[in-house]
Amino acid sequence: MSQDSQWPVWEVFVQANPGIPHKHVGNVHATDAEMAIQNARDVYTRRSEGISIWVVPANAISASSPEDQGSFFEPSNDKPYRHPTFYKIPEGVKYL
Amino acid sequence: MNLQEAKFQYLLRLGDSNLIIGHRLSEWCGAGPILEEDIALINIALDFVGNATALLTYAAEVEGKGRTEDDLAFLRGEREFRNLLMTEQPNGDYAATIARQFLYDVYTFYLYEALKSSKDETIAALAVKSHKEITYHLRHTTEWMYRLGNGTEESHERMQTALNDLWMFTNEFFDMDEVDALLIKEGVAADLEKIRTQWETRVKEVIAEATLQIPTTNFKQKGSREGKHSEHLGFLLAEMQSVHRSFPGAQW
Amino acid sequence: MEDQKQIEAFEAKIASGVKIEPKDWMPEAYRKQLIRMMSQHAHSEIVGMLPEGNWITRAPSLRRKAILLAKVQDEAGHGLYLYSATETLGIDRTELLEQLHTGKAKYSSIFNYPTLTWADIGAIGWLVDGAAIMNQTALARGSYGPYSRAMVRICKEESFHNRQGYEIMMHLAQGTPEQKAMAQDALNRWWWPAIMMLGPSDDQSPNSDQLMRWKVKMESNDAIRQRFIDRTVPQADFIGLSLPDKDLKFDETTGHYTHGPINWDEFFEVIKGNGPCNAKRLKARSDADKKGRWVRDAALAYAEKKKLKAA
C-alpha cells in the first residue's frame, strides 16, 4: 500500500459578484477537479461569498520569486508617463 | 380521511425523513474521512435539518392544534414518526452512508421536482428551494458512488455490500396509500409510480458507471407509513429528544 | 549561519508593517515557531469540533441544532484555513496530522474538558470562543501574511459563535430554575479553564521578546486575559450569573478587574496529557483518520484511473 495521503492541494479563486475578478481565497485538498470545486464551494462560500469558483492544481502555478522583485517591478517606477496624472491638462478642458 | 388530515400525514412523511437522515449525517461530525468531507457532510446535514424544520412548521400549521415544529420533532414517540426506513439506517462505514444518501437523493431529486408543481403553494415553494439543494447533494453522492465503486478493490467491495444491505429499504420509497391517493387527486402530492421509473433509470445508470451490480435481493421492508420502524429509530429518538424531554415546557 | 544582514532586513520589514509572504526569506526560528503555533491552532479547531459535536444530536430545538451544526462546521473550515496557511511554510497536512495523532503536536488545553450538559454549549460559545476571539484579533495583525489573512477571515466568522453562546446562556438564565442551575453549573466549570486557555503568565513564557519583535505574538497572554475578564464580567452580571471567583473585584484606580489565583498546576497537567478528555479526544481524531484511510485511497485510485483513461 502506498503512503497515506491528504490528497493534492488545489488553489481556490472565488468571484464574489458579476463583473469583478476572481480572487484567491485559499486552498482545498481534492483528488480531482470536480471534487476540488465542490470542496471549495463548501469551504469558501458558506456565507454566500461567491457566484463562481476556479480551482487550479497548486503545482501548476508558477510564481515570480522575491529576488526578482527588483528587476521585475522597479523599472516601472520611473515610467510615470504610464499614469494619467502625469499629464497637465488646462482647466476647463472636459472629458479627458 | 379528509384533505387536512392527509396533508398533515404527507408533510410528516417528508419532514420526518429529512429530519432523521439529517440526524444520521450529523453523527459524522468530526469523524469524516478527510476534513473537506467533514465540511461537506455537515453542509448537507444542515440542509436536511433546515428542510425538516420548514416542513414540520407547515405540518403543525396544517394540523392546527397549536403544536410547533419542535413539539413534532421532540415530543412524538417512535410509533408516530413517519420517516422512511432507509433514513434511520445507521451510518455504518463510509460506503454505507454514501449508498444510503445516494439512493435517497435520487428519490427526493425526482420527488421534489414533481412537488414544484404541487397545487399547495407552500409545498411548491418549499420544493423549489429544496430541489436546488438536492441537486447538489445528488451531485456529491453520485461522484462518491463512482469513486468508491471504481476506486480500489476494497472500496468496490464495501460499496457493493452497502448497496446489498440497503436495497430492501428502497421499495418503500414508492409505497402509496389512501393519503397519496387523496392528495394526488387534489394535485397536491406526486405520483410515486412515476417517480419509481425515473429513480430506477438513474440508479441503474450510476450503478453501472460505478461498475457495481444492482442487488438481486427479494427482501422488501416497509411500515413507516404506519409508524412501524426498524429497531434503530428508538435509540435515535431517545438521544435526539433527551434534553428537550428532560425539561418539560422549557424554552431554548 | 544566517546572514546577520538578512535578519536585519527581515526585522526592518516587519517593523515597518510589511507582511512576510511564503517565498520571502525568513529565519529558520521564525518558520519553526510559526509552524508550531499555526498547526497548534489548526489542531485546536478540529479537536474543538468534538466536545461540541457531542451535543449536535441532542440539541433541544431544531433552531439550536441548525446553529450548532453551522458553528461546528465553521470550526472545521477554520481548521482547514489554518492547515492551508501552515502548508505555505513547506510542511504538508499529512505530516501535520501525524504530529497530532502521535501526540507530538499540542492543541488548546480547553478541549480536554468534557461537555456534560447542554449549557456547556452555551458556556463554550460565550467563554471559549470569546477568549479565542481576543487572541485571534491580536494575531490578525501578525507579520506572516497567510496566517494574518486566515485570522481576519476567522474573526469575521467567529463573532456569531460568541453571540450564539451568550444567547443560549441568556435563555437558560431566564428560564426555569433547573435551566438556570444548569447554566450556573456550566459557568462554574468553564470559567477557569477559559481563563487558562489564554496561556501561562508572562513570567512563565520564555521566548516572548523575540516573538513580539517578529510580530508572531502580538500581545502578552496576561494582557489578553485581562481584557477578556474585563469584558466578560459585566456580561455575566447582565444575565444574573455569578463567576466562580470570590476574589474577583473591580479596581477603581486601574479600571480593571482583579482576580483570584489561577491554578496553573491544573493547566500544566492538562497540557501534559492528564486532562479529563485528552486520551478520548486524541483517540477520536486518530480513529477517524484510520477509518478514513481506505476512502482516501479509493478516491486517489479513481482519480488515477480517470487520468489514465483520458490520456
Side-chain angles (χ1 to χ4, degrees):
Chain A
M1 189 87 269
S2 56
Q3 273 274 305
D4 190 10
S5 160
Q6 287 280 312
W7 301 341
V9 176
W10 299 66
E11 297 299 334
V12 179
F13 301 80
V14 170
Q15 185 184 31
N17 286 300
I20 62 171
H22 285 68
K23 194 175 149 195
H24 182 245
V25 291
N27 65 37
V28 291
H29 292 232
T31 52
D32 55 57
E34 167 67 21
M35 191 203 271
I37 289 179
Q38 290 188 14
N39 290 348
R41 178 256 189 196
D42 287 333
V43 174
Y44 293 104
T45 64
R46 296 198 302 282
R47 291 175 167 78
S48 338
E49 293 98 335
I51 54 157
S52 163
I53 294 172
W54 289 349
V55 292
V56 185
N59 61 16
I61 293 182
S62 308
S64 66
S65 71
E67 294 82 62
D68 295 334
Q69 215 169 329
S71 60
F72 268 47
F73 308 113
E74 277 165 28
S76 59
N77 289 351
D78 65 354
K79 297 182 182 66
Y81 42 80
R82 284 192 190 275
H83 300 278
T85 46
F86 179 75
Y87 305 92
K88 288 195 178 59
I89 303 293
E91 260 181 58
V93 179
K94 285 180 179 170
Y95 309 120
L96 260 180
Chain B
M1 176 172 293
N2 63 30
L3 183 59
Q4 180 204 17
E5 283 161 3
K7 241 191 218 178
F8 178 60
Q9 281 302 314
Y10 195 72
L11 288 163
L12 288 183
R13 289 172 189 181
L14 298 177
D16 287 350
S17 286
N18 282 333
L19 178 61
I20 299 303
I21 205 165
H23 182 101
R24 280 293 185 222
L25 267 189
S26 76
E27 292 172 354
W28 271 105
C29 180
I34 194 164
L35 193 49
E36 280 79 358
E37 199 52 24
D38 243 323
I39 296 173
L41 291 175
I42 305 176
N43 236 4
I44 296 173
L46 206 45
D47 286 344
F48 281 126
V49 172
N51 283 328
T53 306
L55 287 160
L56 292 179
T57 303
Y58 186 44
E61 188 190 315
V62 167
E63 189 196 31
K65 290 186 180 162
R67 288 205 277 185
T68 66
E69 66 278 19
D70 281 339
D71 294 337
L72 291 176
F74 295 98
L75 296 175
R76 278 181 301 150
E78 55 196 289
R79 295 281 283 109
E80 297 162 275
F81 264 77
R82 293 292 178 265
N83 60 289
L84 291 162
L85 299 178
M86 177 70 83
T87 62
E88 71 205 35
Q89 298 311 307
N91 286 335
D93 64 7
Y94 204 62
T97 295
I98 290 296
R100 183 190 65 208
Q101 299 304 125
F102 167 73
L103 295 169
Y104 181 70
D105 286 345
V106 177
Y107 170 66
T108 51
F109 179 82
Y110 293 113
L111 174 60
Y112 282 76
E113 189 170 65
L115 289 178
K116 282 195 221 171
S117 36
S118 169
K119 284 205 177 124
D120 182 297
E121 282 174 18
T122 310
I123 293 179
L126 285 174
V128 169
K129 179 176 178 289
S130 295
H131 194 259
K132 287 183 193 149
E133 294 170 353
I134 296 164
T135 304
Y136 184 77
H137 302 168
L138 180 57
R139 183 167 162 176
H140 188 80
T141 47
T142 301
E143 287 292 321
W144 274 106
M145 289 291 292
Y146 296 154
R147 282 186 199 113
L148 298 183
N150 289 304
T152 61
E153 221 171 285
E154 181 182 1
S155 72
H156 178 88
E157 216 169 280
R158 283 176 184 265
M159 200 65 234
Q160 188 63 57
T161 307
L163 280 176
N164 295 349
D165 290 349
L166 290 169
W167 199 256
M168 62 177 153
F169 302 109
T170 55
N171 198 56
E172 194 202 30
F173 289 174
F174 314 103
D175 206 18
M176 288 192 282
D177 60 10
E178 51 172 346
V179 170
D180 298 86
L182 179 60
L183 293 179
I184 290 171
K185 206 178 77 200
E186 296 292 332
V188 172
D191 181 350
L192 296 177
E193 264 318 305
K194 283 186 195 144
I195 310 284
R196 183 201 290 271
T197 319
Q198 294 170 305
W199 182 87
E200 280 174 353
T201 311
R202 173 72 78 100
V203 167
K204 267 184 202 154
E205 271 168 25
V206 174
I207 286 183
E209 177 81 28
T211 63
L212 296 160
Q213 304 294 322
I214 299 275
T216 49
T217 173
N218 286 320
F219 288 125
K220 286 176 187 161
Q221 294 296 313
K222 63 177 206 174
S224 76
R225 307 287 196 234
E226 297 90 43
K228 290 181 196 153
H229 292 272
S230 57
E231 290 178 345
H232 303 298
L233 185 68
F235 291 100
L236 186 154
L237 293 182
E239 184 175 350
M240 185 175 91
Q241 300 176 336
S242 62
V243 178
H244 190 98
R245 283 185 185 262
S246 304
F247 298 85
Q251 298 295 309
W252 303 97
Chain C
M1 239 2 263
E2 277 161 353
D3 190 336
Q4 192 53 37
K5 267 195 189 140
Q6 272 179 313
I7 294 188
E8 276 166 23
F10 170 81
E11 293 192 343
K13 206 164 155 184
I14 290 178
S16 69
V18 176
K19 302 273 182 207
I20 306 299
E21 294 299 331
K23 294 179 94 181
D24 291 345
W25 184 88
M26 60 186 82
E28 206 37 43
Y30 178 83
R31 182 190 303 274
K32 279 213 177 110
Q33 180 62 25
L34 275 174
I35 291 179
R36 196 185 66 83
M37 266 180 70
M38 290 165 68
S39 64
Q40 197 169 310
H41 199 158
H43 298 326
S44 300
E45 295 282 354
I46 59 163
V47 175
M49 293 168 69
L50 301 171
E52 288 179 281
N54 198 13
W55 284 89
I56 289 175
T57 52
R58 290 175 288 174
S61 73
L62 293 172
R63 175 171 174 266
R64 290 288 171 207
K65 193 189 278 289
I67 294 173
L68 187 56
L69 270 168
K71 172 174 195 277
V72 176
Q73 188 197 34
D74 273 351
E75 270 142 28
H78 297 170
L80 200 149
Y81 304 160
L82 286 161
Y83 282 123
S84 147
T86 316
E87 285 182 298
T88 62
L89 291 160
I91 182 165
D92 74 62
R93 200 164 83 188
T94 316
E95 196 179 336
L96 293 169
L97 288 175
E98 199 184 288
Q99 290 175 355
L100 171 68
H101 300 145
T102 54
K104 224 179 110 191
K106 300 278 180 236
Y107 54 87
S108 178
S109 57
I110 196 89
F111 301 118
N112 291 316
Y113 290 88
T115 46
L116 301 178
T117 69
W118 168 251
D120 290 31
I121 299 307
I124 289 183
W126 175 31
L127 303 174
V128 176
D129 289 291
I133 290 170
M134 299 281 160
N135 197 25
Q136 289 167 173
T137 324
L139 288 171
R141 290 179 278 119
S143 63
Y144 188 56
Y147 194 25
S148 143
R149 288 191 286 275
M151 280 298 119
V152 169
R153 202 182 170 99
I154 289 174
C155 286
K156 225 166 48 185
E157 297 186 350
E158 213 145 82
S159 59
F160 114 71
H161 297 184
N162 192 215
R163 281 173 170 232
Q164 66 86 34
Y166 188 67
E167 195 200 60
I168 288 177
M169 291 302 258
M170 193 170 70
H171 275 279
L172 295 175
Q174 294 164 353
T176 65
E178 291 81 9
Q179 282 178 304
K180 183 162 186 185
M182 179 161 70
Q184 184 62 56
D185 169 62
L187 176 54
N188 293 348
R189 282 181 290 111
W190 288 94
W191 175 249
W192 289 107
I195 285 192
M196 285 189 251
M197 76 176 263
L198 290 165
S201 257
D202 299 344
D203 48 18
Q204 295 187 64
S205 308
N207 41 9
S208 274
D209 276 359
Q210 192 188 47
L211 296 182
M212 294 273 224
R213 193 167 68 245
W214 284 352
K215 293 190 185 165
V216 169
K217 232 177 131 55
M218 299 302 292
E219 254 184 302
S220 79
N221 295 344
D222 286 336
I224 298 177
R225 186 168 15 249
Q226 187 63 56
R227 193 161 62 245
F228 170 67
I229 294 172
D230 287 345
R231 291 191 187 178
T232 310
V233 177
Q235 293 169 355
D237 289 344
F238 189 85
I239 53 175
L241 295 177
S242 53
L243 294 167
D245 178 359
K246 59 179 171 33
D247 299 321
L248 190 75
K249 52 177 171 293
F250 190 69
D251 182 338
E252 295 284 353
T253 50
T254 60
H256 295 295
Y257 284 89
T258 53
H259 56 83
I262 295 171
N263 183 355
W264 289 115
D265 291 344
E266 176 181 323
F267 176 78
F268 288 112
E269 276 301 302
V270 175
I271 291 282
K272 262 195 291 184
N274 296 320
C277 297
N278 294 60
K280 184 169 186 267
R281 303 283 186 250
L282 263 194
K283 187 171 180 323
R285 280 314 319 168
S286 140
D287 283 355
D289 189 67
K290 280 188 209 128
K291 268 196 332 204
R293 175 72 196 264
W294 69 268
V295 182
R296 295 193 297 274
D297 285 345
L300 270 179
Y302 174 62
E304 280 306 313
K305 282 183 194 167
K306 257 203 328 196
K307 241 189 257 166
L308 284 177
K309 226 171 153 187

